[in-house]
Amino acid sequence: MDIRSYGNYVLYAYGNHSLPSNVADLHHVAAAMGAAMDDLKRPEAYFYEVGNSANLMYGTSGTALDYSQASGVPFSYRLELPDYRYGFLVPPQYVEHINEETWQGIAVTARLGRFYYRARYSAATTAAPAQS
């Protein structure tokens, strides 16, 4: 999880407009994260947008997000925190709320990512016993 500011985005790889092979799983988990944070967002905040980093924002290369995904981390995200229309200088009165909102999203992502990992990725690496 690469947490940055600002913009209300949950993004996944790749920054060159190509999509990882597990894009459906990535998007489902990211959508759950965004929805969990939207449930706690303040009324003046935008809803979280979810998707490929290059398609929602701009093209990049060599980011932590791309490196993690390419290195085999099955669920790698960049979370752009809300700005409440103050940009990078969020007033102190919003910080605690942003922490709570973000933690809720991370918790949902961890639970759902664990489920996907166990169901899809652990099974793929477990070889069936040889028949004699």
Side-chain angles (χ1 to χ4, degrees), residues 39-108:
D39 284 346
L40 294 178
K41 76 176 189 59
R42 296 179 59 90
E44 66 270 26
Y46 295 115
F47 286 98
Y48 280 86
E49 292 187 55
V50 175
N52 173 267
S53 61
N55 293 334
L56 284 182
M57 293 185 73
Y58 45 81
T60 59
S61 65
T63 65
L65 177 63
D66 288 358
Y67 178 79
S68 297
Q69 189 72 41
S71 297
V73 176
F75 297 97
S76 182
Y77 297 101
R78 182 169 75 223
L79 173 60
E80 296 280 348
L81 299 174
D83 66 340
Y84 295 109
R85 296 170 183 78
Y86 291 97
F88 292 105
L89 302 174
V90 176
Q93 66 264 28
Y94 292 120
V95 172
E96 186 174 340
H97 186 84
I98 290 172
N99 286 341
E100 291 172 15
E101 179 181 312
T102 302
W103 180 247
Q104 180 68 23
I106 291 171
V108 166

